[in-house]
Amino acid sequence: MIIASNFKTNHTRASARAFVEALGAPKCEVRVFMPFTALDNFETNCQIKMGAQNFYPVQSGSFTGEIGAEQLEEFGIQSVLIGHSERRHILQEPTTLIRQKFAFAVVKNWEIVYCIGEPKEVREEGFEAVKAYLETQLEGIDMAYERLIVAYEPVWAIGTGLSASVEQIQETHQYIKTRLSAPLLYGGSVNANNVASIVGLKECDGALIGSASWKKEAFLEILNHTTQGEIR
């Protein structure tokens, strides 16, 4: 079971350190994706890994404002988010760059949390449209990569307070599982109240969580409910 916190544009170095220190020794695997300015050399339990929300697919070079592998390696970062909907839709990150990032991370042997998910208008067209949309996001991605984790995050449920129903999550995860053998997480307004029912699904291997995970007390509560919900 993998539970990941995506800090997005939140936390400072001091608050991130307090968050990580509060985690102790969790009973499941934990990932914390924090802003670049909050990265540090943390001493953590082996179940906890720090991750980067973004990177540019170079070791180093002349790319003003970007962060390359050299900067991440200084902090021992080996887990990265790729393809998050906020980068795809808000920051207009093109599919070509997403694929370049994926290929670069494979060469670096980093753990990849690769995000996929459909917008509201696609979901409203029906499940066949959802499957076709997800296929476009999986195209050109090495789904056999041994350090791959996929996160299904319906765009319409991210930061909206709306989570997909358990039935929708199960149906979509069942389909995605036919395409890969990697761990499959769910993301989209996951919180302490619904996490147990979500991670209790046979097809769900954990959760990628945004705003509900930013306060350490809330994240610890989520971890507690996760352990209760894990029925496999």
Side-chain angles (χ1 to χ4, degrees), residues 8 84-93 155 158:
K8 304 189 181 185
H84 193 281
S85 68
E86 289 165 354
R87 296 207 61 83
R88 292 181 191 264
H89 296 285
I90 298 176
L91 298 170
Q92 300 295 300
E93 190 165 290
V155 179
I158 298 175

Side-chain angles (χ1 to χ4, degrees), residues 22-230:
L23 296 179
K27 296 180 181 179
C28 62
E29 293 189 49
V30 169
R31 305 290 185 272
V32 182
F33 294 94
M34 54 183 61
F36 295 130
T37 55
L39 294 177
D40 208 337
N41 291 301
F42 298 98
E43 294 183 8
T44 63
N45 180 278
C46 63
Q47 291 284 85
I48 305 170
K49 291 182 181 178
M50 301 300 110
Q53 299 174 23
N54 186 37
F55 65 95
Y56 197 69
V58 293
Q59 182 67 25
S60 59
S62 300
F63 302 96
T64 300
E66 296 293 340
I67 299 293
E70 181 177 76
Q71 289 76 49
L72 298 185
E73 289 168 349
E74 179 181 7
F75 299 106
I77 300 300
Q78 293 191 338
S79 185
V80 293
L81 279 179
I82 298 177
H84 193 281
S85 68
E86 289 165 354
R87 296 207 61 83
R88 292 181 191 264
H89 296 285
I90 298 176
L91 298 170
Q92 300 295 300
E93 190 165 290
T95 299
T96 52
L97 179 56
I98 291 171
R99 290 173 181 164
Q100 287 172 7
K101 287 181 176 181
F102 192 98
F104 182 84
V106 168
V107 171
K108 298 299 292 185
N109 196 36
W110 289 341
E111 177 185 83
I112 300 170
V113 178
Y114 183 68
C115 302
I116 61 175
E118 80 286 353
K120 184 178 180 182
E121 58 269 23
V122 173
R123 171 58 69 169
E124 290 176 343
E125 289 179 20
F127 192 55
E128 289 302 315
V130 171
K131 291 193 293 184
Y133 190 91
L134 297 180
E135 285 295 332
T136 65
Q137 295 182 323
L138 293 173
E139 185 178 350
I141 298 301
D142 181 7
M143 288 178 283
Y145 178 54
E146 62 181 10
R147 300 199 69 194
L148 172 64
I149 299 168
V150 173
Y152 168 61
E153 295 192 299
V155 179
W156 48 272
I158 298 175
T160 63
L162 299 173
S163 180
S165 69
V166 171
E167 292 76 18
Q168 287 173 319
I169 297 170
Q170 185 174 41
E171 179 182 44
T172 310
H173 275 223
Q174 283 177 340
Y175 172 72
I176 298 171
K177 284 282 192 178
T178 67
R179 304 285 282 107
L180 53 86
S181 57
L184 179 57
L185 314 183
Y186 173 75
S189 297
V190 178
N191 54 55
N193 294 324
N194 62 19
V195 67
S197 61
I198 292 171
V199 301
L201 293 172
K202 179 181 178 181
E203 300 82 6
C204 186
D205 302 302
L208 174 60
I209 307 170
S211 59
S213 72
W214 294 341
K215 293 182 179 180
K216 57 182 182 291
E217 297 84 3
F219 191 59
L220 289 171
E221 185 179 4
I222 287 171
L223 293 180
N224 181 52
H225 283 277
T226 298
T227 303
Q228 294 174 5
E230 188 176 359

